Amino acid sequence: EMESYRELILENIDYDILLERNPWDKDLLDGYVELMLEICCSTRKSVRICGQEIPTEVVKSRFLKLNSEHIGYVMDSLKSNTAKIGNIKAYTLAALYNAPVTMGQYYTSLVSHDMAHGLLDG
């Protein structure tokens, strides 16, 4: 079962393409895959994310819908964070779980910032 989920996750996130584009981030990508795999194979009823207990099946479902854009967004977000993170596993879990609902706002905010500072002038 674990290998089936691993293959599905790798396929969903276009792992080979991500790795080709980010060869220096192999350990980071592998860590994301392992974290998602851990949740997909968990027998626990819920997972704590952002202080809330969320049914494991809900988290698993969302993780199995992540694609390479979501993973790229999480990588960018974590790399641009300058705050000290106390529990990196919990932080990364939350970033992966929330990626589908925060990615659009994040990139819209970046574009707005760049336009306001004249960084997108043709």
Side-chain angles (χ1 to χ4, degrees):
E1 181 183 24
M2 186 178 247
E3 277 311 306
S4 296
Y5 277 120
R6 183 188 310 278
E7 290 303 316
L8 181 58
I9 291 167
L10 294 175
E11 182 180 323
N12 288 350
I13 67 169
D14 295 317
Y15 178 86
D16 292 337
I17 294 169
L18 279 171
L19 188 57
E20 187 176 303
R21 290 181 186 158
N22 307 282
W24 52 91
D25 289 324
K26 182 182 186 326
D27 289 341
L28 189 61
L29 289 169
D30 289 346
Y32 294 163
V33 169
E34 291 306 311
L35 198 52
M36 290 188 289
L37 185 61
E38 181 181 317
I39 297 303
C40 288
C41 294
S42 175
T43 57
R44 293 177 44 205
K45 290 193 182 291
S46 65
V47 179
R48 189 170 203 61
I49 296 180
C50 298
Q52 293 185 345
E53 292 295 324
I54 300 173
T56 301
E57 287 302 314
V58 172
V59 180
K60 176 180 168 179
S61 174
R62 193 173 285 186
F63 280 0
L64 292 176
K65 292 175 184 161
L66 294 179
N67 61 38
S68 61
E69 290 180 21
H70 297 120
I71 301 301
Y73 159 66
V74 171
M75 287 173 60
D76 290 346
S77 297
L78 291 178
K79 285 179 181 178
S80 66
N81 178 42
T82 57
K84 184 174 183 188
I85 300 169
N87 184 339
I88 191 65
K89 182 176 181 178
Y91 188 88
T92 305
L93 257 178
L96 289 166
Y97 179 77
N98 289 314
V101 295
T102 58
M103 185 173 71
Q105 294 117 332
Y106 174 79
Y107 287 122
T108 298
S109 172
L110 280 181
V111 169
S112 296
H113 173 271
D114 290 352
M115 287 177 68
H117 291 87
L119 298 175
L120 292 180
D121 292 340

